[in-house]
Structure formats: structure tokens, C-alpha cells
Amino acid sequence: IKDADFVFYVSAMQTDRCHKGQTVAYAAHCQQETALDRPIAGHANLCPNSISTKPQDLDTLLSTVKHEILHALGFSVSLYAYFRDKDGRPLTRRGSIGKPMVNKVIQAHQWSDRVIREVERRDWKVRGNLTKKTVKIVVTPRVQEEVRRHFNCDYLEGAELEDQGEDGTVLTHWEKRLFEYDAMTGTHTQIPVYSRITLALMEDTGWYVPNYAMAQELIWGKGLGCEFAFKSCKDWIDTRRARGESIHPYCDKVKKDPLETECTDSRDSVALCNLIEYTRDLPSIFQNFDQIPGISYHDIGRFGGSVSLADYCPYIQEFTWKSNNIVVRGSQCQFSENM
């Protein structure tokens, strides 16, 4: 296509991959230019059985498409190793054929620790214990600057990547626990926003100059400090309780009938605490309570937030009514269909 900077192919087929988990769509780049490795073509597939075309879900659908475009443009395991600095120099050493080395485990080119660094979080607090948690963090300059400003934490290494989910989710999205409704987390659970942190990642590819005036504000975690960014949600909950302070943005009210709803902080949606009971104990790393009001101590291990990607941390969340994975009605107040 003459004079095109990027060609994006879109399909809508109910493929085998659509049946994995709750996949709504997926994307990848198809081709890169030879000079600076920038993606010049990409493809996305939207899973028809998982898409709602109701008016109240149009914004979410559009956000899904934008989300997939950003994967094809650079936010992808298959492209991290090709990131460049502001002067166009590769951040990852190239091999004899001019490409980064291949990591056969992840089946992608291996990036350097100038792009993503593995960090160990010690004294990670879980139910009845302290353990260690290893996380992978994007440490590129603009991302580091923006994430430190967001959390108000001057020594935060960078932005943590998702460590759960299947291929296409793990390492290819922001960590849900820390960036909840940023549009580039692994699942949409509230009205998604495209934050300065996400735009910073696109700038740190070395291929784009984002317009930060177009960034949307991410309230989740904003200004909550290093204590929020470095610690488990259990640590945050316990510390705040001990001080007699609100455990916001987390919660401890079990979701049950009749639903006990409240307003979101922005007061534009009805919401509820997504703390639910599972059929069996959660893995110990995800057990975030020693006590829950009204719940027996012996049963607490089965309780956690309904969003697994958020490390089962429970929080106040908008909700929807679904039938066959299709949204019937939502809880956003701006749509008359939800009333």
C-alpha cells in the first residue's frame, strides 16, 4: 500500500485460540522494516462469540481494537528485543545475522536487561507467611519516569509485567494488580484508559513519539507510594487496617446475594467488591487474608478476588450481567440501557 506507515489486517473468526480462557481478541506484527526493525504490518482477530455490539459496550469494543493495535505496534514479547534507545541504537545486542538471540523457552527473541529486568521482591506477605516473589519489570527510561511519578515512588525500578495467564497474556500486558484498568492489562474489568505509562512504553520502543496530551488519567494506585507498588495486597490491607485507615483500593466484603453495591470512586458506575469464594483453596501465594468478616478461619483460603490476573486481590469493580459470555447489561450510569 503506497505511502502507508503501517498496514493492519483485521479478521473476525471463531478460531481455536478464541476458546482458550476468555479470549476476546489477539494480535501480532507480521513484518518489520530492515533499517530500524519497526513493525510495518500487523494482524488482529476478533472472536465473534465474545464480542458485544450493544451501544453500552461500544467503547469497550473500540478499546479492544486499540489494545490489539498496540500489541502489533510494539507491546509484545516478540518485539521487546528490538527496542531501541532515543538515538536509534539497539537496546539488545544483535547476533551474527543481525538479530537478537532466540530464547527457545518463550519462542521469541531474548531481550536485554536494559528493556526488561527480573527482580526479586522479598518479604512478600501472604496468609500466615512471608515469601519471595520474582517479577519482570520494564525498565526503559520513559516508562521508569512515568511509573515513578504515577505511584510517587522515586526508587521504583519500572513497570511490572503480568506474570499470569497463557501465552499472549503473560509478559505482554501490565500487571493487573498494579495497573488495574489501564487498557494494556490482560483483561478489561472497568472502563479502560490509555495512560501515560502505556504511551511511555510506545516511546521507549524507539519507533514512535506519542502525544501525551492524549493520555487518559489512571487513578488506580496513583500517589499511593512505594508501599503500594512494592508490596502484596495483603501487606497493604494489613498495614492500613493496623493504622485504622481505609484499605482502598482493595476491599473485604464478600460478594453474595443480595448484592451489596456501592459507587465507584468516580461515581459514574454501580460497583461491588469482587471478593468471592472458590471451590478449593487458592495457591498459597494468592491467599491474601488472615481474617474476613463473617468467614471461618478454616475457610479463608478459598476466598479471593474474582480477577485472577490481579493476584486474586479483591477490589471494588464495575460489573455486568452476561449470557453465553455476551454482556446483557452493565453498571455504568451513563447508559439508559443499564437502568
Side-chain angles (χ1 to χ4, degrees), residues 180-330:
E180 208 284 305
Y181 59 93
D182 187 292
M184 294 311 293
T185 56
T187 181
H188 286 177
T189 49
Q190 318 263 18
I191 301 175
V193 300
Y194 289 84
S195 70
R196 291 181 62 90
I197 299 167
T198 289
L199 295 189
L201 178 85
M202 301 311 294
E203 181 174 358
D204 280 342
T205 63
W207 303 318
Y208 313 108
V209 180
N211 179 359
Y212 285 94
M214 299 299 292
Q216 298 165 298
E217 186 176 21
L218 178 66
I219 300 297
W220 180 272
K222 186 175 182 179
L224 294 185
C226 299
E227 189 176 4
F228 183 83
F230 276 89
K231 302 292 184 68
S232 70
C233 61
K234 184 184 190 307
D235 205 326
W236 175 265
I237 290 169
D238 288 353
T239 301
R240 304 281 285 193
R241 274 179 173 167
R243 296 174 184 165
E245 298 173 348
S246 167
I247 64 173
H248 174 84
Y250 303 120
C251 58
D252 60 2
K253 188 181 295 183
V254 178
K255 180 181 175 182
K256 58 185 178 181
D257 290 328
L259 295 177
E260 297 182 48
T261 60
E262 55 189 280
C263 289
T264 56
D265 282 349
S266 56
R267 307 194 70 79
D268 58 6
S269 298
V270 178
L272 48 76
C273 182
N274 66 13
L275 179 59
I276 62 172
E277 182 178 7
Y278 289 85
T279 56
R280 62 185 67 183
D281 281 1
L282 297 175
S284 59
I285 190 72
F286 299 132
Q287 292 189 24
N288 296 311
F289 290 97
D290 289 323
Q291 57 179 320
I292 299 173
I295 303 300
S296 164
Y297 177 81
H298 300 289
D299 297 332
I300 285 176
R302 297 200 301 270
F303 285 81
S306 62
V307 182
S308 61
L309 294 185
D311 294 351
Y312 294 90
C313 297
Y315 57 91
I316 300 298
Q317 181 187 342
E318 297 170 18
F319 58 95
T320 56
W321 288 267
K322 291 185 177 182
S323 176
N324 296 323
N325 205 30
I326 298 296
V327 174
V328 176
R329 185 159 66 96

Side-chain angles (χ1 to χ4, degrees), residues 37-55:
D37 307 311
R38 180 178 64 83
I40 56 175
H43 165 253
N45 184 64
L46 308 180
C47 301
N49 292 355
S50 299
I51 291 174
S52 169
T53 56
K54 293 180 180 295

